Amino acid sequence: MEHVDEYNITLKVRNNLLLQAFKDNGDYPGQELAEKIGITYVMLNAYIALKLSPIHRNGNYRDSVYKICEYLKKLPEELWT
């Protein structure tokens, strides 16, 4: 009888452009940063983990994306490709 090992693999996909912009700004993504920006911590993490699209169904950037961009002094195109 052949023994088969089971493996659990976790793959994390992150928006490195956004993370690097925060790092360059001297910030670390967390609750305090989300409050400074004016969005929820859950939303901030969703953008970092690429679980939430920066573009709304109507084709425009979400208001929270503009808040992040304003805070970082960047254009949306610089943070999301």
Side-chain angles (χ1 to χ4, degrees):
M1 186 168 262
E2 194 174 314
H3 178 71
V4 177
D5 290 333
E6 292 184 29
Y7 296 93
N8 185 5
I9 298 172
T10 302
L11 178 65
K12 292 185 179 182
V13 178
R14 301 208 181 260
N15 181 337
N16 282 329
L17 295 173
L18 186 55
L19 286 171
Q20 187 63 47
F22 285 133
K23 183 179 176 183
D24 292 346
N25 203 42
D27 293 310
Y28 180 79
Q31 181 68 37
E32 288 182 25
L33 177 60
E35 289 173 3
K36 283 184 197 176
I37 295 171
I39 63 174
T40 66
Y41 178 62
V42 172
M43 186 173 285
L44 178 61
N45 281 335
Y47 284 129
I48 292 170
L50 297 172
K51 292 182 178 181
L52 179 62
S53 172
I55 300 173
H56 197 275
R57 284 186 284 202
N58 65 13
N60 297 323
Y61 285 106
R62 298 176 188 272
D63 291 338
S64 51
V65 167
Y66 288 120
K67 289 179 182 183
I68 292 170
C69 291
E70 182 178 323
Y71 178 81
L72 293 171
K73 297 176 178 63
K74 301 260 184 196
L75 296 171
E77 296 81 15
E78 295 176 280
L79 302 174
W80 285 273
T81 58

